[in-house]
Amino acid sequence: MIKTIKGEREKVMTIAELQKQILRLKAEKDFYILAHSYVAREICEIADSVGDSYKLSCDAQKAKNANILLCGVRFMAETAKILSPEKHVYLSCAEAGCPMAEQMDKDMIEAIKETDPTLAVVAYVNTTAELKTVADVCVTSSSAVQIVRNMEEDNILFIPDCNLGAYVKEQVPEKKIELLQGGCPVHAAISKKDVLAVKAKHPSALFAVHPECRAEVVALADYVGSTSGIMQFAKKSDAKEFIIGTEISIAETLQYECPDKKFYPLSKRLICPNMKATTLADVYHVLNGEGGEEILLDDETIAKAKRCLDRMIALGG
Ligand code: 13P
Ligand code: SF4
């Protein structure tokens, strides 16, 4: 109950009530809800699938429902649409985009490809649908090393994240991998100095990091992996303390799920404003037919972009 301006008392919905309404509407309107692990906990609680980019891509394709609602950022919803063109795919917050996905455009990559026909373009899934049309294969942070190792081409241009690309290059030294300057502004902002400061405070803690961080940060880690990889590592480990080098919500979720262990975020600056843009109310409004955005892509873009995603699933599964 809250006080209105006129001083009357008015009923408001609690988070639990709003979640109940969302679950009712989800079933009534045949929606499958996908949430990236970086979005707010109350959204993860009502989602059918929660995970990293790779899990969301696979689960979007497997879902039997007529409608998919993506709680995360635009490239994830576009990926779901490309993999399931027959479904209606909605992004719960139209403004939520990944800045990295917009850093390179199709013409620029096509021009580079023309200079060397043997070059295979490996695109991180954090790219626009348009850019995926000129990629030879797509990767996620959990599958990048395995896919680059398994693909037959040896001459590779890795876009757009030069930090993830540098990590793959180190893990797969037998291939020639070229990088371009691009990356995640949230993860790339963390320095070696930040890591040393947290390690000094928590000397017994193991350090798990996302490969979108700089090489100087990754070099200090006990484990390097995707969002889901970091969570699995921390859960399975016998260690009791962990420094979590990715978006701050992962340290928080791990702390809820493993109360006998201690989790410290690598930095309070590791907050992705785009992943935090979606609210539970946004989800409710989309299910009510108001707000959000239906992802619409033309048939040619879908057909061309699907090739690199299909190859990703075939090589990385
Ligand atoms: P994951 O592949 O770990 O889900 O990463 C996606 C992302 O945007 C990380 O910043
Ligand atoms: Fe993009 Fe970085 Fe946010 Fe992930 S954390 S969505 S890569 S800006």
Side-chain angles (χ1 to χ4, degrees):
M1 301 285 271
I2 56 160
K3 261 192 165 172
T4 64
I5 295 166
K6 287 179 190 159
E8 293 161 7
R9 293 184 81 80
E10 188 177 274
K11 183 146 177 19
V12 293
M13 263 199 268
T14 61
I15 288 178
E17 283 163 350
L18 191 52
Q19 287 178 319
K20 211 170 136 190
Q21 294 297 328
I22 287 171
L23 292 175
R24 178 184 59 77
L25 286 165
K26 181 166 84 73
E28 263 175 39
K29 303 200 173 177
D30 196 25
F31 268 85
Y32 188 84
I33 301 183
L34 297 158
H36 191 275
S37 316
Y38 291 170
V39 303
R41 186 168 175 81
E42 62 269 22
I43 297 175
C44 294
E45 283 170 357
I46 52 83
D48 297 290
S49 165
V50 181
D52 64 6
S53 309
Y54 188 72
K55 177 173 163 51
L56 298 187
S57 304
C58 297
D59 289 356
Q61 199 174 32
K62 282 185 225 149
K64 299 272 181 282
N65 310 64
N67 304 296
I68 288 188
L69 176 54
L70 195 297
C71 305
V73 291
R74 181 169 295 271
F75 79 81
M76 296 174 179
E78 284 186 353
T79 302
K81 180 68 186 173
I82 295 164
L83 289 171
S84 304
E86 72 291 354
K87 295 171 193 158
H88 292 283
V89 177
Y90 299 84
L91 176 63
S92 47
C93 172
E95 297 80 38
C98 167
M100 173 169 20
E102 311 283 336
Q103 283 167 352
M104 284 166 204
D105 68 55
K106 175 178 163 271
D107 295 345
M108 170 185 163
I109 301 305
E110 268 181 329
I112 298 176
K113 272 182 106 169
E114 273 168 26
T115 64
D116 182 355
T118 68
L119 201 62
V121 174
V122 176
Y124 192 18
V125 72
N126 299 40
T127 40
T128 60
E130 194 190 29
L131 191 52
K132 286 186 178 79
T133 63
V134 292
D136 293 282
V137 65
C138 227
V139 297
T140 65
S141 54
S142 64
S143 62
V145 170
Q146 186 187 339
I147 289 176
V148 171
R149 196 174 277 143
N150 290 348
M151 61 194 282
E152 67 262 23
E153 299 96 323
D154 292 328
N155 185 20
I156 288 158
L157 175 67
F158 191 101
I159 58 167
D161 188 346
C162 62
N163 288 332
L164 176 62
Y167 176 67
V168 173
K169 199 173 154 95
E170 194 190 89
Q171 300 297 310
V172 193
E174 64 276 20
K175 304 226 170 179
K176 180 172 170 281
I177 304 176
E178 298 289 340
L179 308 172
L180 295 174
Q181 198 60 43
C184 165
V186 178
H187 287 82
I190 305 305
S191 68
K192 179 178 176 179
K193 200 170 147 213
D194 294 311
V195 183
L196 296 179
V198 191
K199 276 182 169 260
K201 270 195 195 168
H202 306 291
S204 315
L206 293 184
F207 174 38
V209 80
H210 199 285
E212 286 177 11
C213 285
R214 293 188 215 168
E216 64 181 36
V217 170
V218 171
L220 298 173
D222 298 292
Y223 174 83
V224 185
S226 73
T227 311
S228 303
I230 290 174
M231 293 178 86
Q232 278 161 24
F233 165 75
K235 285 178 185 176
K236 281 189 191 153
S237 168
D238 292 333
K240 292 285 175 210
E241 291 182 78
F242 301 86
I243 298 163
I244 303 298
T246 190
E247 219 273 347
I248 201 158
S249 51
I250 299 304
E252 194 185 21
T253 302
L254 281 166
Q255 194 60 74
Y256 281 123
E257 293 182 5
C258 311
D260 57 325
K261 295 181 176 179
K262 285 184 182 160
F263 298 94
Y264 313 109
L266 169 57
S267 166
K268 292 277 167 102
R269 303 196 315 277
L270 271 165
I271 296 180
C272 176
N274 285 284
M275 286 287 195
K276 294 288 179 275
T278 304
T279 63
L280 195 62
D282 288 332
V283 178
Y284 178 67
H285 293 317
V286 181
L287 296 178
N288 261 323
E290 305 148 357
E293 183 183 318
E294 179 167 6
I295 301 295
L296 299 170
L297 297 170
D298 62 75
D299 292 348
E300 196 186 339
T301 302
I302 290 179
K304 286 186 177 168
K306 194 170 182 297
R307 290 190 301 232
C308 68
L309 286 168
D310 284 343
R311 199 171 169 205
M312 168 182 91
I313 291 170
L315 287 170

